[in-house]
Amino acid sequence: MSTVSTASLITADQLSVQFTIGGGFLRKRQMLSAVDDVTLAIPKGSFFGLVGESGSGKTTLGRAMLRAAPISSGSIRYADGEVDYNLVDLPKTDLVEYRKRAQLIFQDPYAALSPRMTVRDIIAEPLEVMGVTQTREQTDERVRSIAAKCRLNLEHLRRFPHAFSGGQRQRISIARALVSNPRFVVADESVAALDVSIQADILNLLKVLQQELDLTYLFISHDLSVVAHICDHVAVMYLGRLVETAPTRELFKSPRHPYTKALMSAIPSLDPDHRGNVQKLEGEIPSPTNPPPGCKFHTRCPHAIDICKQQEPKLDHLGMEHDVACHRWQELAEQ
Ligand code: SF4
């Protein structure tokens, strides 16, 4: 179990998500292990970053926490002080309630919004689908309230999404995700499709809304520099496994896993003395249908030795809420 000290909103315990892919004429069915034995606790009120390359399993883990990906083994518990759910076998009535409390902000604000619906209807739809409001007046009141909090011009509620820029569309997506008054929000690459100048606006808005609405975020990103800027905790995933987690300040001060160090060293530095220290990540992430034995990072790790190719490292608790899965982290820390 992760050594997070504050009360946890979501706790995954030895969670695995597997998919069967392929099959059909002359095609072999294969097992894809997207999330593999992940134990992770997200503190209530945190801005929790989940990072890794494409194919690391971070989106699948986020979706499992929303009960939108099949859980093969292990458990996920959600406890916000009002309800306490085991997400693995949630009865249908509780699942409806959970949908109000746990929402997703999509990556692409262009694809996520129906071009045939007005902004008002886009934001109102979850309320109607989940039966949160009973009358049109109640729905309009909720829509106007959340639109104002998301800094949307209320005059624009009658317009269609094509009239808006990427940043404004993302504000509409955020308003739609928050209109049911959730406690837990998964933001999956929510600024990745935006211009850099707009990214800061949206990140600041997410931060302000966190305080105003008492939210807990799981912020999924491939970009460690964005995560460093906004998150208070970070977990690093590689090929379905959790390899390191810590409070952001501690992780950036003392990264222990070679993969975390490689991701960090690729962040562009403003300091000319550090521009030469980039530890390039060689090769591609292996296929999750055929993961390497032992430590899954050994095929790309410059520090791999024999044991790394044979034995999967367990998560060690270092204190300071810092956990790492590497056979050699102590040795490497002393070098
Ligand atoms: Fe590298 Fe071995 Fe540590 Fe894996 S266990 S990260 S291969 S040193």
Side-chain angles (χ1 to χ4, degrees):
M1 182 60 57
S2 174
T3 51
V4 171
S5 60
T6 33
S8 301
L9 185 73
I10 293 256
T11 311
D13 192 10
Q14 297 186 301
L15 179 77
S16 294
V17 178
Q18 296 176 334
F19 300 101
T20 305
I21 57 167
F25 185 62
L26 292 180
R27 291 185 63 199
K28 223 171 102 194
R29 284 163 77 84
Q30 288 181 300
M31 186 64 79
L32 186 155
S33 187
V35 175
D36 184 10
D37 199 24
V38 166
T39 292
L40 178 70
I42 299 182
K44 209 175 280 174
S46 65
F47 211 122
F48 199 102
L50 187 59
V51 295
E53 292 164 284
S54 174
S56 62
K58 53 193 191 310
T59 290
T60 306
L61 178 58
R63 286 176 184 264
M65 288 180 170
L66 293 171
R67 261 297 306 265
I71 297 165
S72 309
S73 61
S75 66
I76 309 181
R77 181 181 171 211
Y78 169 90
D80 64 10
E82 291 174 356
V83 299
D84 189 339
Y85 292 146
N86 172 359
L87 297 192
V88 176
D89 33 53
L90 205 56
K92 212 170 173 187
T93 47
D94 288 344
L95 184 57
V96 172
E97 182 57 36
Y98 185 61
R99 294 266 181 261
K100 296 176 196 164
R101 291 170 186 262
Q103 281 288 323
L104 172 70
I105 300 170
F106 288 97
Q107 172 181 4
D108 184 351
Y110 290 91
L113 307 178
S114 168
R116 286 182 293 278
M117 292 168 78
T118 63
V119 173
R120 182 262 173 214
D121 290 348
I122 287 169
I123 299 174
E125 191 177 43
L127 296 176
E128 285 154 6
V129 170
M130 293 187 277
V132 177
T133 47
Q134 312 307 321
T135 64
R136 187 169 175 98
E137 287 69 33
Q138 287 173 354
T139 303
D140 281 339
E141 200 182 312
R142 289 280 285 258
V143 168
R144 292 173 75 82
S145 166
I146 197 67
K149 284 191 165 71
C150 292
R151 319 299 187 254
L152 286 165
N153 184 336
L154 300 186
E155 298 297 312
H156 293 170
L157 291 175
R158 277 173 291 170
R159 296 194 187 168
F160 290 85
H162 65 80
F164 298 98
S165 66
Q168 286 170 314
R169 286 180 192 219
Q170 197 54 306
R171 285 169 194 272
I172 298 167
S173 293
I174 293 168
R176 179 183 161 97
L178 301 186
V179 75
S180 64
N181 197 18
R183 310 284 86 223
F184 176 55
V185 176
V186 176
D188 189 0
E189 299 281 8
S190 298
V191 295
L194 303 174
D195 289 349
V196 176
S197 58
I198 310 293
Q199 285 188 4
D201 275 357
I202 297 296
L203 292 174
N204 288 336
L205 176 66
L206 292 176
K207 200 78 183 169
V208 169
L209 292 170
Q210 182 189 28
Q211 301 300 321
E212 284 181 13
L213 303 173
D214 192 20
L215 301 172
T216 301
Y217 289 111
L218 178 66
F219 185 82
I220 298 173
S221 178
H222 67 282
D223 187 341
L224 208 51
S225 59
V226 171
V227 166
H229 173 71
I230 192 100
C231 296
D232 43 51
H233 286 72
V234 185
V236 183
M237 284 186 78
Y238 185 80
L239 207 54
R241 301 283 292 196
L242 185 69
V243 299
E244 188 159 17
T245 180
T248 308
R249 193 181 290 247
E250 161 69 11
L251 190 81
F252 276 79
K253 189 166 102 336
S254 310
R256 295 299 184 211
H257 198 282
Y259 180 58
T260 311
K261 292 180 193 173
L263 290 179
M264 275 182 192
S265 72
I267 296 174
S269 174
L270 294 176
D271 179 352
D273 292 341
H274 286 93
R275 278 189 202 144
N277 289 341
V278 176
Q279 183 190 324
K280 210 163 161 250
L281 205 49
E282 302 286 350
E284 296 289 319
I285 192 165
S287 165
T289 59
N290 187 23
C295 170
K296 292 200 164 92
F297 188 54
H298 86 253
T299 55
R300 302 166 80 190
C301 180
H303 309 291
I305 55 176
D306 282 349
I307 188 174
C308 306
K309 297 171 191 164
Q310 291 146 17
Q311 253 181 50
E312 184 97 56
K314 298 267 173 268
L315 214 55
D316 276 348
H317 308 313
L318 283 60
M320 307 278 292
E321 303 176 22
H322 192 162
D323 300 345
V324 64
C326 170
H327 292 302
R328 303 188 68 197
W329 73 264
Q330 272 169 308
E331 234 182 290
L332 296 172
E334 283 156 16
Q335 285 176 9

